[in-house]
Amino acid sequence: MKNSLSRTAKLLRKNFQKYLRSLNRWLSDTPERALSEAYQAAQRIKNIELEHFDNKKISSHSVNYTENVMSYWQVYLNKNLTIIKFRLAEFQLSRGIINISNPVLLEKLKVIDEVVEKYAIKYETINELPLSSTYQPLNIKEKEIKKKLKIPNIDEIKVKPPTQQTGETPSSIGRKINKIQTDLAPQTEEEFITNYRISKSRTIIALKFLIVLIIVPLLTQTLSKEFIVFPILERVRGDNVTKIFLNSDMEKEALHELHKFQEGLRFEYLLNQVPSLSSEIVQEKIKSKAVEISEEFQIKSNSNISNVFADLISLFSFGIVIAISKREILILKSFIDTIVYGLSDSAKAFLIILFTDIFVGFHSPDGWEVLLSVFAEHLGLPASRNVIFLFIATFPVILNTIFKYWIFRYLSRLSPSALATLKEMDE
């Protein structure tokens, strides 16, 4: 059995080493691979310019195409510019880790820079308007719309909460007349379609970015733990028996399992389910079970230590996503503000009471205790009840104070009716 385990361990170690070498080669080739993909996307754009736009910029001003044809080429352009954007970001990030020097890369960068500079303004427009739609009922000129809407850029649109809107009362005759005039104006339909496209584009960007914020840290934590941290940690720690347990709780759990196994053997013997065993056979079974438990807890200890480093790597990846996504963060904030301010006063009060009761309510200490115990087990730390109770006695109190200050400071100004509803529901 020991020889079988040894051969299995050697085979796993060999496979891990092979995978690490291939992973190292993949990482070392990342800058050139990313730049090559960006260069190929730039070449595709230049080929389209040469074949269909008389070697000019991909635009309706270059050639006389129909709206559907231009929509097709704009989607194609948007796709390749997006590839260039992400591959250049990958190239810059990997180049900071891996030093490379290749004159061919400089030539590729020159070609890419030419395309990026040519479509700098158009690229922003394509990223912010949903050009993937081939249905365009009206021929809308972007400059005229921005002039009429008086907005220089889509990013400057600020969602104004309903509670902050000012103006005459809804029953005002003058306001009704102005609304009728606005509805009958010739540019109203164009403005409505433009605002709808902008809102749709912002919603898609916000939802995609929200998914990225969730998936990237989880995926990074899992992959870095399974393929990088855990194999390295197994090689460093080895089969050192003195480093099986990280804390006393793990040791107590292992002893409890061994004691339970012994009691199980005795129970089976007393029920005459197994024949009488000699003390040597019993000791051999107990020793085999102890080795099995030690191997199990050694893997568990390595896994807990790996969680610490994998979590740090995941946190670092999350920080990188936040650092390179300032525009997406603003769009996501605007999207959340629109949803929150669009709720009714009763819904706002309900959500506030729900969150406060979960985190700082009467039953919240039990939830905090479970969360802290799971977190301590995840990192391989002893679940000290004194530390947990001290945290429960301080942090929810601070959180409750922050909630009350926010309600007093901001909610009373943003939504007085929601505050009144909240007080009535509390009473």
Side-chain angles (χ1 to χ4, degrees):
M1 181 179 178
K2 292 183 179 179
N3 293 333
S4 177
L5 290 175
S6 177
R7 287 195 298 270
T8 305
K10 290 181 180 179
L11 181 60
L12 289 175
R13 190 179 297 110
K14 185 177 180 180
N15 291 335
F16 274 126
Q17 291 175 353
K18 182 179 179 181
Y19 178 79
L20 289 175
R21 286 194 296 268
S22 62
L23 182 63
N24 186 24
R25 287 195 300 269
W26 183 83
L27 289 174
S28 61
D29 295 338
T30 296
E32 295 185 5
R33 184 180 63 255
L35 190 62
S36 296
E37 293 181 8
Y39 174 76
Q40 292 172 5
Q43 284 291 353
R44 287 194 292 268
I45 294 175
K46 293 176 71 67
N47 291 336
I48 294 300
E49 292 176 348
L50 182 62
E51 295 175 4
H52 301 278
F53 290 87
D54 298 332
N55 204 16
K56 298 179 183 178
K57 184 177 178 180
I58 300 178
S59 173
S60 58
H61 301 290
S62 301
V63 293
N64 188 15
Y65 281 139
T66 62
E67 294 178 2
N68 289 331
V69 174
M70 279 307 304
S71 176
Y72 171 80
W73 291 124
Q74 285 174 338
V75 171
Y76 189 84
L77 176 63
N78 181 40
K79 177 182 177 181
N80 286 280
L81 287 175
T82 303
I83 293 174
I84 292 175
K85 175 184 176 182
F86 285 104
R87 291 297 171 260
L88 279 180
E90 183 181 0
F91 171 75
Q92 295 294 343
L93 182 62
S94 59
R95 191 170 62 91
I97 302 174
I98 303 172
N99 294 325
I100 56 173
S101 58
N102 190 346
V104 179
L105 300 182
L106 297 178
E107 298 297 328
K108 293 182 178 180
L109 281 173
K110 290 180 181 178
V111 176
I112 295 172
D113 288 340
E114 291 178 2
V115 175
V116 171
E117 291 175 1
K118 183 184 295 184
Y119 293 96
I121 300 176
K122 189 66 178 176
Y123 178 53
E124 294 296 329
T125 304
I126 290 172
N127 269 338
E128 294 166 2
L129 292 178
L131 295 176
S132 57
S133 175
T134 58
Y135 174 70
Q136 296 182 355
L138 293 176
N139 186 11
I140 303 173
K141 294 183 179 180
E142 183 182 356
K143 294 182 178 179
E144 294 181 0
I145 293 173
K146 289 185 176 181
K147 183 177 180 182
K148 292 174 183 178
L149 295 178
K150 297 181 180 180
I151 52 172
N153 197 323
I154 187 175
D155 287 332
E156 297 179 5
I157 296 178
K158 300 294 183 180
V159 178
K160 192 173 184 180
T163 55
Q164 295 180 351
Q165 293 177 354
T166 59
E168 300 178 6
T169 59
S171 60
S172 172
I173 299 177
R175 183 173 180 179
K176 293 294 184 182
I177 294 175
N178 291 333
K179 186 177 183 303
I180 293 173
Q181 291 177 349
T182 303
D183 292 340
L184 297 178
Q187 70 274 15
T188 301
E189 185 177 359
E190 297 180 0
E191 293 178 359
F192 175 79
I193 294 174
T194 304
N195 291 332
Y196 167 75
R197 290 180 177 177
I198 292 172
S199 177
K200 179 182 177 181
S201 177
R202 282 177 169 269
T203 302
I204 293 174
I205 293 173
L207 292 178
K208 287 183 178 179
F209 182 64
L210 190 61
I211 294 173
V212 168
L213 288 180
I214 297 173
I215 291 180
V216 168
L218 292 178
L219 196 62
T220 304
Q221 200 272 350
T222 303
L223 295 179
S224 61
K225 175 186 174 181
E226 294 296 331
F227 298 107
I228 299 177
V229 181
F230 192 81
I232 294 175
L233 194 62
E234 277 193 330
R235 181 183 300 178
V236 171
R237 296 192 75 199
D239 298 328
N240 195 339
V241 183
T242 61
K243 297 181 181 180
I244 295 177
F245 307 109
L246 294 178
N247 52 66
S248 58
D249 292 343
M250 295 180 65
E251 187 175 359
K252 290 178 182 178
E253 184 180 354
L255 293 176
H256 176 71
E257 287 190 16
L258 185 61
H259 179 71
K260 186 177 179 181
F261 177 76
Q262 292 176 346
E263 293 297 328
L265 289 178
R266 179 177 175 81
F267 183 74
E268 291 177 355
Y269 168 71
L270 293 176
L271 292 179
N272 296 323
Q273 293 182 357
V274 295
S276 178
L277 300 175
S278 63
S279 59
E280 290 80 6
I281 297 177
V282 172
Q283 290 297 325
E284 185 66 27
K285 285 191 173 184
I286 294 175
K287 182 178 180 181
S288 176
K289 184 64 176 179
V291 172
E292 181 182 345
I293 293 175
S294 66
E295 291 177 353
E296 177 184 346
F297 275 86
Q298 188 172 19
I299 295 174
K300 186 177 180 180
S301 299
N302 292 340
S303 177
N304 290 335
I305 298 175
S306 301
N307 287 332
V308 178
F309 296 99
D311 290 346
L312 292 176
I313 296 173
S314 176
L315 185 63
F316 179 71
S317 67
F318 182 80
I320 291 177
V321 173
I322 293 296
I324 65 176
S325 306
K326 295 181 180 179
R327 171 176 167 270
E328 285 79 4
I329 292 174
L330 293 176
I331 294 176
L332 180 61
K333 180 179 180 299
S334 174
F335 175 73
I336 295 175
D337 289 344
T338 304
I339 294 178
V340 172
Y341 289 121
L343 295 174
S344 63
D345 297 332
S346 300
K348 293 176 185 176
F350 172 78
L351 290 177
I352 291 173
I353 293 176
L354 178 64
F355 282 108
T356 52
D357 284 350
I358 289 176
F359 294 105
V360 297
F362 178 74
H363 298 287
S364 62
D366 298 331
W368 283 112
E369 185 176 356
V370 172
L371 287 176
L372 292 174
S373 300
V374 171
F375 182 71
E377 184 180 357
H378 175 75
L379 300 179
L381 300 174
S384 176
R385 301 190 65 82
N386 292 332
V387 175
I388 292 176
F389 289 152
L390 179 63
F391 180 88
I392 293 174
T394 55
F395 183 75
V397 177
I398 298 173
L399 202 60
N400 187 31
T401 305
I402 295 174
F403 268 121
K404 290 180 178 178
Y405 177 78
W406 176 81
I407 291 172
F408 170 77
R409 180 72 176 174
Y410 297 101
L411 188 64
S412 59
R413 186 178 71 242
L414 297 177
S415 183
S417 56
L419 180 60
T421 306
L422 178 63
K423 291 181 179 180
E424 292 179 1
M425 292 178 69
D426 277 336
E427 294 174 356

